[in-house]
Amino acid sequence: MENQEQSEKKEKVNYFDFTEVLTYFFRKKDPNRPKSFNLKAMHTINKISILMFLGAVIVMIVRAISRA
């Protein structure tokens, strides 16, 4: 019974685990990774979209708090 509760708790914690997102911005460059313009462009667009999403979430939270 306790193992099931612990596994459910770990699953809930994983929903709020943003380490993958935060480490995406601060990774060291992998020398073995192929270098191409398309790959650089894709990662740049991904970073911009993540920042825009987080900014929108912050704006929504601020607006919700200010209305209360």
Side-chain angles (χ1 to χ4, degrees), residues 8-33:
E8 288 177 5
K9 187 175 183 179
K10 285 182 183 180
E11 288 178 10
K12 290 179 184 177
V13 170
N14 288 338
Y15 286 122
F16 299 103
D17 185 20
F18 293 110
T19 56
E20 191 72 29
V21 174
L22 296 175
T23 57
Y24 185 76
F25 290 99
F26 304 109
R27 280 192 233 175
K28 293 182 180 178
K29 302 222 180 213
D30 185 7
N32 298 326
R33 189 168 63 184

Side-chain angles (χ1 to χ4, degrees), residues 2 11 26 37 39 43-44 49 52-53 58 61:
E2 288 182 24
E11 288 178 10
F26 304 109
F37 173 76
L39 193 61
H43 283 288
T44 302
S49 65
M52 288 179 68
F53 174 77
I58 290 170
I61 291 171

